[in-house]
Amino acid sequence: MVAKTIPVDPFDLIIIGATGDLARRKILPGLFRRMCAGQMPETAKVIGASRGELDDAGFRDFVKDALKEFAGDTAKDSKSVAQFLEMLEYVSLDVFGDTGWKELKSKLRPDMIHAVYFSVGPSLFGEIARKLSGHGITDEHSRIVVEKPFGHDLETAKALNAELRACFDEHQIYRIDHYLGKETVQNLMAVRFGNALFEPLWNAQHVDHVQITVAETVSVEGRGGYYDKSGAMRDMVQNHLMQLLCLSAMEPPSKYGADAVRDEKLKVIRALEPVAPSEVVRGQYSAGRDMASYVEHAEDPESKTESFIAMKVKVANWRWASTPFYLRTGKRLRGRMSEIAIVFKDPPHSIFEGDFNRKGNVLVIRLQPDEGITMRVTIKEPGPGGMRLTEVPLDMSFADALGDQVSVMPDAYERLIMDVIRGDQTLFMRGDEVEAAWAWVDPIIEAWQEAGSRPVPYDPGGSGPDDSLMLLHKDGRRWREIKP
Ligand code: NAP
């Protein structure tokens, strides 16, 4: 199968914070790979900006090193690297200062798509928006891209939205959640709405429950101070897991379009029931396996921030009444794994005799590792010996299905940046979605803050606290295994 690459129109992209970690690791290597894939036109221009006193040549050297480190084998092609570096320019400016903006404006070409990537902390978003529009760098056709975290709670998210909307219309604002750029996430929509097979079963009548897991092996070492101010609920649940929940639970949109899809996602968030404290388990990893504990990484022995969270979530609508969604995410777990598992109910009656340990059908949408989709089905155990049943996976690994194409498939950031240039907001969060997500999350956080509750400790390299296993056990269910 050959993936089709549709080139985007010529553009000028400004990256504010172009010397930062995100630009170095993701944005610039991603653009380079899109150029190599023939999707980014030769006439595109990328203008880096930050306070660093660099000239164009200095910035190109910086990007050359970044490509060497983060662009994989593509960066070995020196002709392509040289071609990409030719597209780069640089302006030194302080977001809070008044110099540099005129120069930035002079670098933009008329009749091009103009986009500005805010690759800086959110405390700078408002000021950048004001400077860009105040200096006439952006107009009603420009697009801006903003990174997570989008707010710390409902109040701050509303304030951020207000600051951005004072200068830009909602259709110009692209709020990135890179989970939405993953191939499998879009495939979730393709599987649900492109096949007649699944949708009739996609409801409480046939689905027993849904599990959404985002497990990480990494700790917060090196960014403990930053992480300690947010925790798993704010850092992962409010955005990434919530988006996966929305795409799994939403009604079919009338078409695959930005507002149609986002309207349906918003309805899911608004249908979420408040979560009782007894249905949330928060954990903090202990020391072990030659590594310090969470509180040591956070440099606060009294920290009450969670590095793990598991919760039972109910979507109060006709489709999902009585089908719980279990969410869990954490650091320092046994494996790195992100997946959505749709666990179907058992057949209503078994015609087969014997002690058959029926597990039921499970549709697994794997985001990482090895993006793909698996359906667990029951078949007859091969060979003579009567009718014994067993379970086998029908596996669609993208690596197997697409072969070499996988290595050139755009990663989430690449895809999303190209969507910005195309003007397609479908895979970006709308302001009202973000606010609705915070409105649901805030009371949960407030409840445990009021109670002064501490997260329970859990061993590194495992599946999280035992209490999280109990969350499902008490409902007669069990988590899928987190594999190393
Ligand atoms: P970072 O490494 O601290 O980089 C920040 C960039 O902004 C640098 O280029 C810095 O350069 C520039 N900058 C800071 N203050 C400035 C000012 N007053 N005027 C002009 N430029 C300024 O941060 P990052 O990790 O790249 O993260 C950027 C954003 O992406 C943050 O919102 C972060 O939460 C989000 N994010 C990052 C990642 C990641 O993997 N890194 C992942 C998801 C989201 P100078 O100091 O030279 O000005």
Side-chain angles (χ1 to χ4, degrees):
M1 200 187 302
V2 177
K4 234 194 278 167
T5 300
I6 304 168
V8 297
D9 290 334
F11 63 87
D12 290 338
L13 172 68
I14 297 172
I15 305 172
I16 304 199
T19 54
D21 183 62
L22 180 69
R24 199 168 68 88
R25 285 196 306 117
K26 291 287 180 188
I27 306 172
L28 291 157
L31 286 165
F32 169 66
R33 278 195 296 265
R34 287 299 88 209
M35 185 206 78
C36 294
Q39 193 167 21
M40 183 165 146
E42 286 173 14
T43 51
K45 180 154 69 163
V46 178
I47 307 152
S50 70
R51 288 172 300 188
E53 296 285 340
L54 298 174
D55 54 12
D56 288 350
F59 183 55
R60 286 173 185 166
D61 286 343
F62 166 83
V63 176
K64 195 174 174 184
D65 290 343
L67 297 185
K68 226 183 268 171
E69 205 174 342
F70 298 108
D73 283 349
T74 355
K76 289 186 182 144
D77 177 357
S78 53
K79 213 169 131 206
S80 300
V81 171
Q83 188 188 345
F84 183 69
L85 297 181
E86 275 299 300
M87 296 176 171
L88 307 179
E89 294 180 16
Y90 183 82
V91 177
S92 170
L93 57 78
D94 184 335
V95 166
F96 296 102
D98 282 319
T99 55
W101 301 100
K102 219 165 156 191
E103 189 189 349
L104 193 58
K105 187 177 179 185
S106 72
K107 290 192 179 285
L108 293 175
R109 298 162 299 173
D111 306 325
M112 291 270 166
I113 293 165
H114 292 165
V116 187
Y117 202 125
F118 294 17
S119 185
V120 292
S123 58
L124 271 60
F125 289 177
E127 188 61 18
I128 297 175
R130 285 186 288 276
K131 287 280 166 51
L132 290 173
S133 60
H135 287 273
I137 297 166
T138 47
D139 61 21
E140 69 276 18
H141 303 296
S142 313
R143 292 147 206 185
I144 60 163
V145 186
V146 295
E147 265 296 337
K148 85 163 206 185
F150 200 86
H152 187 71
D153 51 22
L154 178 59
E155 199 185 323
T156 48
K158 274 186 172 169
L160 259 187
N161 272 335
E163 281 192 296
L164 296 181
R165 286 183 190 136
C167 304
F168 299 95
D169 192 79
E170 181 64 36
H171 79 269
Q172 299 177 275
I173 306 170
Y174 291 71
R175 295 176 194 78
I176 284 220
D177 182 332
H178 70 272
Y179 267 60
L180 290 180
K182 290 186 181 284
E183 187 75 15
T184 349
V185 168
Q186 291 157 76
N187 242 313
L188 172 59
M189 284 192 271
V191 166
R192 280 193 64 188
F193 307 127
N195 298 288
L197 188 64
F198 294 109
E199 200 45 31
L201 305 177
W202 210 269
N203 53 49
Q205 202 184 337
H206 300 285
V207 177
D208 179 71
H209 70 282
V210 177
Q211 297 186 15
I212 301 178
T213 299
V214 177
E216 297 178 282
T217 51
V218 292
S219 68
V220 301
E221 190 175 14
R223 58 182 206 111
Y226 160 80
Y227 186 89
D228 201 48
K229 292 190 193 79
S230 55
M233 186 70 165
R234 290 190 168 100
D235 192 50
M236 298 298 290
V237 176
Q238 186 274 342
N239 39 59
H240 305 321
L241 277 83
M242 180 74 81
Q243 289 297 320
L244 301 182
L245 166 68
C246 286
L247 292 170
S248 312
M250 72 183 187
E251 295 299 314
S254 58
K255 60 178 180 189
Y256 184 74
D259 277 328
V261 169
R262 297 184 303 174
D263 284 347
E264 295 307 333
K265 287 195 319 192
L266 181 61
K267 284 185 210 161
V268 175
I269 303 174
R270 288 189 173 152
L272 294 178
E273 284 187 7
V275 179
S278 60
E279 292 179 337
V280 182
V281 176
R282 300 163 67 229
Q284 257 180 4
Y285 59 82
S286 313
R289 301 186 173 218
D290 296 331
M291 210 188 262
S293 65
Y294 175 81
V295 289
E296 287 168 274
H297 285 153
E299 294 179 15
D300 177 5
E302 298 303 318
S303 170
K304 290 181 181 156
T305 305
E306 73 288 351
S307 60
F308 175 97
I309 190 162
M311 59 204 299
K312 178 178 174 180
V313 176
K314 292 180 200 142
V315 184
N317 62 20
W318 272 53
R319 184 184 283 263
W320 295 116
S322 82
T323 294
F325 286 67
Y326 297 98
L327 314 183
R328 79 179 150 165
T329 181
K331 309 269 180 209
R332 286 289 272 146
L333 298 176
R334 185 179 299 128
R336 179 169 170 261
M337 155 184 144
S338 301
E339 64 167 42
I340 303 166
I342 314 292
V343 182
F344 290 92
K345 290 185 175 170
D346 287 341
H349 165 71
S350 176
I351 63 167
F352 305 105
E353 282 180 12
D355 187 25
F356 164 51
N357 181 20
R358 204 189 304 123
K359 289 194 191 133
N361 299 121
V362 182
L363 178 71
V364 180
I365 294 115
R366 272 193 317 274
L367 281 77
Q368 65 191 24
D370 183 24
E371 279 194 75
I373 295 174
T374 307
M375 179 83 197
R376 191 176 72 193
V377 292
T378 300
I379 60 161
K380 178 191 166 297
E381 209 173 273
M387 190 61 160
R388 287 198 310 273
L389 303 181
T390 187
E391 268 132 15
V392 290
L394 294 180
D395 205 343
M396 207 275 281
S397 145
F398 290 165
D400 294 343
L402 303 176
D404 290 347
Q405 289 299 313
V406 165
S407 59
V408 292
M409 245 169 31
D411 85 354
Y413 272 97
E414 294 172 45
R415 181 188 311 273
L416 292 172
I417 296 170
M418 291 299 107
D419 280 359
V420 173
I421 306 302
R422 265 199 291 266
D424 183 352
Q425 287 186 305
T426 310
L427 300 175
F428 295 82
M429 294 181 294
R430 209 168 52 192
D432 51 3
E433 252 185 278
V434 178
E435 289 181 15
W438 280 121
W440 179 74
V441 160
D442 276 0
I444 303 172
I445 296 177
E446 280 159 18
W448 72 56
Q449 279 173 347
E450 265 167 38
S453 59
R454 291 190 86 97
V456 290
Y458 64 92
D459 290 336
S463 309
D466 289 346
D467 291 6
S468 75
L469 308 180
M470 286 310 297
L471 189 70
L472 269 75
H473 281 183
K474 67 184 185 196
D475 292 345
R477 301 178 174 115
R478 57 194 300 177
W479 286 109
R480 285 170 50 76
E481 193 186 343
I482 297 175
K483 295 201 174 117

